[in-house]
Amino acid sequence: MHMNELDSLVESAQQLFAQSATPADLENAKAQFLGKSGRVTELMKGMAQLSVDEKKSRGAAINVAKQAIEAALTARRQALQDAELQEQLKAEALDVSLPGRQRGQGGLHPVSLTLERIEGIFGSMGFDVAQGPEIETDWFNFTALNTPEDHPARSMHDTFYVEGGTPEAPNLLRTHTSPMQIRHAVQHVKRHRALLDAGQPMPEIRVIAPGRTYRVDSDATHSPMFHQCEGLWIGENVSFKDLKVVFTDFCRTFFESDDLVLRFRPSFFPFTEPSAEIDIQFQDGPLAGRWLEVAGSGQVHPNVVRNMGLDPERYIGFAFGMGPDRLTMLRYGVNDLRLFFDGDIRFLSQFQ
Ligand code: PHE
């Protein structure tokens, strides 16, 4: 066989390798040249009769051809592997431009945001936060608050009574957060019993009690369930002036408006004397100039102080009850209270 025969052998190997479409085809093609009875192997065997010199040059030439065939084989193997990998990548392709599946993001209800704000502001003024039951007894909701048996607020018309309840057991949905005045004060007095018995001054009661309240009422500005936040400050020397300072401070901070004006308008509540409704007036914005009622308030009635377990000759203070729902409406310019409780996500998501 001459040199160009070796060249054409290499060429035919390259062609056959190129035609091999799969690794198996390629291994078969390889066997035809490099296998036990392949053509290169046969050439090697054919050298047996040659002289030493001829073996040397012939062997070298066959080796060059063998190496060329092996190189072609390796290149084709690599090419087939690359092609397979490309196929696989294509089949398992991830479209990273596809938007991810998101879970809806939750957020706080606007009234909850207001309650947090209220707690923060009163917290900074040294008020504790208390929570109490929404199903109350006659005693805490009415009687202890100096509200007589025949008070109209007790009528079926205004109050949700619980079926099977008795005046001694919880029997109604609280109509305001004022029962928390008594509940919290009684606990406070119990905690400081020893000091009181020794005639020592008791630490002041300074607390707010936010929560849900219920009345038989339903229109654009009233909901059968609504929120209130009670405030109570009792000490030996707490005056109506303190109420004015504290509540004015609160409102100006809450509405972020230093020129907000407050008006304490004489009113009546069985559990305060004197009593006042608190109105606020914005100096600018869409509500400028209008008086808006935000709370009931007053100096705690001596009978109520007594029901707290304290001597009304020594302890005195003020209480207020405000409407966080109303404050939320004013702060965000919402005109229908029912929007807060319909659960419409399109409305609620605007507060996030
Ligand atoms: N509880 C009263 C109401 O619901 C508000 C109030 C609270 C008034 C505390 C005076 C003192 O209208």
Side-chain angles (χ1 to χ4, degrees), residues 175-178 181 215 228 230-231 269 271-272 275-276 295-298 319-322:
T175 56
H176 50 181
T177 45
S178 299
Q181 289 185 33
R215 283 182 208 175
Q228 278 199 345
E230 200 73 9
F269 299 101
F271 35 93
T272 46
S275 303
S297 68
F320 59 81
M322 61 178 155

Side-chain angles (χ1 to χ4, degrees), residues 1 51 58 74 77 79 105 120 125 134 159 185 190 231 262 265 322 347 351:
M1 204 181 257
S51 69
R58 178 76 176 147
T74 305
R77 264 195 194 132
Q105 252 212 324
M125 294 194 251
E134 290 171 28
T159 303
K190 211 166 155 185
L262 276 77
R265 180 164 40 85
M322 61 178 155
F347 172 74
F351 299 88

Side-chain angles (χ1 to χ4, degrees), residues 7 40 67 69 73-74 107 194 214 259 273 332:
D7 287 346
V40 175
Q67 278 166 12
I69 292 171
L73 176 70
T74 305
Y214 304 84
D259 51 7
E273 181 58 38
Y332 294 112

Side-chain angles (χ1 to χ4, degrees), residues 42-52 54-55:
E42 292 300 325
L43 287 179
M44 298 283 212
K45 287 179 189 163
M47 290 198 304
Q49 288 84 20
L50 299 181
S51 69
V52 173
E54 280 173 325
K55 269 185 189 160

Side-chain angles (χ1 to χ4, degrees), residues 6-26:
L6 285 177
D7 287 346
S8 72
L9 180 67
V10 171
E11 211 167 281
S12 64
Q14 286 169 337
Q15 266 172 23
L16 200 59
F17 293 164
Q19 286 160 16
S20 303
T22 68
D25 286 350
L26 187 59

